[in-house]
Amino acid sequence: MRSPIDFLPQGFLMKFPDPSLDLFADIEQIKKEKNAIILAHYYQEPDIQDVADFIGDSLGLAQEAQRTQADIILFAGVHFMAETAKMLNPTKKVLLPDLNAGCSLADSCPPDIFQKFKELHPEHKVISYINCSAEIKALSDVIVTSSNAEKIVNSFPITQQLIFAPDKNLGAWLNKKTGRDMLLWDGSCMVHEIFSEKKVLAELYKHPEACLIAHPECEAAILQHAHFIGSTTALLNFVSKSDKKIFVVATETGILHQMRINEPNKVFIPAPANNACACNDCPHMKLNTLEKVWMALNYEQPEIQMDESLRVKALAPILKMLELSI
Ligand code: 13P
Ligand code: SF4
């Protein structure tokens, strides 16, 4: 695996911080000096969430990226999220602490193959989940996130034929909720497919008063048992409003940090995976560390760069989503 140094101009050496440095204090200082902002997804490690200026789900982060006045945006998330922030802020510096922070779901939709699939269905409009590459966004009519997908799918006339890419699980859930028959691309998220229905049911049996909450990227086998399904922000809001005290949480474990901060008297149990390892940690999200955040802010690298014609094409369906989300 390449280190961030591989992405730096030749002869430019990015040093790890001195171990005696108070990274939390120094990051605050650099942010002020450079008019920089840290936007972090809920799946980031707790230390990164604690230094963030804004923590959110994919929609909240895109909206915040659209409204920020900062000169530098450090995006603590994965590549497609930082790329979306760059599309919205072409003249600003957008930093991603580790450029290798990709997404298995985005990778499951190669643009050349998707283009051919789209050509086979010329009457269909294309709705793409934001977890996709800029090339897929450029081939789409509108982008959605898990928090606005139902509303945006319903904004199309019922007679309009639709393709939904790249997440088949979210697509199947949306078909069920909206009564549509969207053609689904066969992609999925490695983290949300790992939950074991048998072990989740065993956990609910152990805690009969518990509530199962799940992200719609989970498979139908898990979603069918869920008391509530929603985006990361919706899950957080739900646990705060609910009278229940115990929650089995079927999404990436990073979200438990904010749940425990917001609701210290409630119990949050990560939904068990179908093997013994902590595979419901997203390996891409977890490539970012506090040290890499410090280095990125300090050296203003690695920076997201985009081809301008691709940026313009990919931005149009994102702007359509943001308009439809007001
Ligand atoms: P949301 O935060 O929009 O629910 O997305 C979850 C996710 O998988 C991000 O990669
Ligand atoms: Fe991609 Fe899944 Fe990781 Fe989200 S949790 S970044 S969808 S691999």
Side-chain angles (χ1 to χ4, degrees):
M1 183 157 298
R2 292 190 291 168
S3 77
I5 288 171
D6 296 332
F7 299 98
L8 292 173
Q10 248 191 347
F12 189 98
L13 187 62
M14 200 155 85
K15 287 193 198 136
F16 269 87
D18 184 321
S20 65
L21 190 68
D22 178 345
L23 288 181
F24 294 93
D26 212 53
I27 285 171
E28 286 309 322
Q29 181 66 27
I30 306 174
K31 280 198 294 188
K32 270 193 211 117
E33 281 166 15
K34 299 192 176 190
N35 188 25
I37 188 174
I38 299 182
L39 306 182
H41 190 267
Y42 293 119
Y43 296 166
Q44 291 294 283
E45 63 173 41
D47 282 352
I48 296 181
Q49 294 188 36
D50 292 349
V51 294
D53 299 284
F54 179 86
I55 318 168
D57 65 2
S58 308
L59 177 63
L61 288 162
Q63 288 169 327
E64 198 59 29
Q66 192 182 32
R67 71 173 76 100
T68 184
Q69 297 297 316
D71 296 317
I72 296 178
I73 300 171
L74 182 134
F75 209 111
V78 291
H79 192 275
F80 74 81
M81 296 177 170
E83 194 174 55
T84 301
K86 181 67 184 174
M87 288 182 221
L88 291 161
N89 294 282
T91 58
K92 289 183 181 166
K93 213 170 237 187
V94 177
L95 307 170
L96 180 63
D98 191 322
L99 272 189
N100 286 311
C103 169
S104 67
L105 179 52
D107 291 347
S108 66
C109 196
D112 51 338
I113 306 176
F114 185 72
Q115 163 102 51
K116 289 190 184 120
F117 175 72
K118 186 182 158 177
E119 281 163 12
L120 290 175
H121 306 285
E123 306 303 325
H124 288 61
K125 297 273 187 204
V126 177
I127 304 180
S128 294
Y129 190 35
I130 197 165
N131 301 33
C132 65
S133 63
E135 287 80 3
I136 297 296
K137 289 185 175 82
L139 292 167
S140 307
D141 292 288
V142 66
I143 300 302
V144 300
T145 76
S146 47
S147 50
N148 58 22
E150 189 179 345
K151 181 177 170 192
I152 293 179
V153 169
N154 278 332
S155 72
F156 285 90
I158 195 82
T159 49
Q160 175 63 56
Q161 294 178 295
L162 299 167
I163 289 173
F164 186 83
D167 189 359
K168 64 179 174 187
N169 293 320
L170 175 61
W173 179 71
L174 287 166
N175 272 345
K176 210 166 147 192
K177 290 217 74 168
T178 63
R180 309 267 172 154
D181 187 20
M182 297 188 290
L183 271 182
L184 307 182
W185 182 259
D186 189 14
S188 60
C189 158
M190 62 193 285
V191 178
H192 289 89
E193 285 217 313
I194 205 84
F195 300 114
S196 154
E197 181 187 11
K198 207 166 134 197
K199 289 188 190 170
V200 165
L201 289 178
E203 206 62 59
L204 293 174
Y205 185 74
K206 241 196 297 177
H207 307 280
E209 70 284 30
C211 190
L212 173 67
I213 57 171
H215 194 279
E217 286 176 28
C218 292
E219 291 177 318
I222 299 293
L223 296 180
Q224 66 175 331
H225 303 294
H227 303 96
F228 181 76
I229 298 168
S231 75
T232 49
T233 296
L235 296 178
L236 270 161
N237 292 340
F238 177 80
V239 300
S240 289
K241 283 194 196 128
S242 171
D243 297 335
K244 299 271 186 182
K245 294 279 176 275
I246 306 180
F247 300 86
V248 176
V249 183
T251 190
E252 213 270 356
T253 52
I255 197 163
L256 300 176
H257 182 56
Q258 290 306 316
M259 286 180 174
R260 288 175 178 143
I261 289 175
N262 294 350
E263 299 300 329
N265 298 320
K266 294 186 177 179
V267 176
F268 302 101
I269 304 166
N274 57 22
N275 54 22
C277 74
C279 291
N280 41 355
D281 273 340
C282 173
H284 309 288
M285 287 278 182
K286 287 338 196 240
L287 279 178
N288 296 326
T289 62
L290 195 64
E291 286 76 15
K292 289 181 194 172
V293 168
W294 180 88
M295 287 196 289
L297 278 175
N298 207 31
Y299 296 103
E300 299 181 22
Q301 292 280 348
E303 187 184 351
I304 299 287
Q305 306 279 5
M306 279 199 82
D307 170 77
E308 181 58 12
S309 71
L310 175 61
R311 185 191 74 81
V312 170
K313 281 188 209 135
L315 180 63
I318 294 173
L319 291 177
K320 192 161 175 198
M321 169 189 83
L322 291 169
E323 273 163 35
L324 289 167
S325 305
I326 296 167

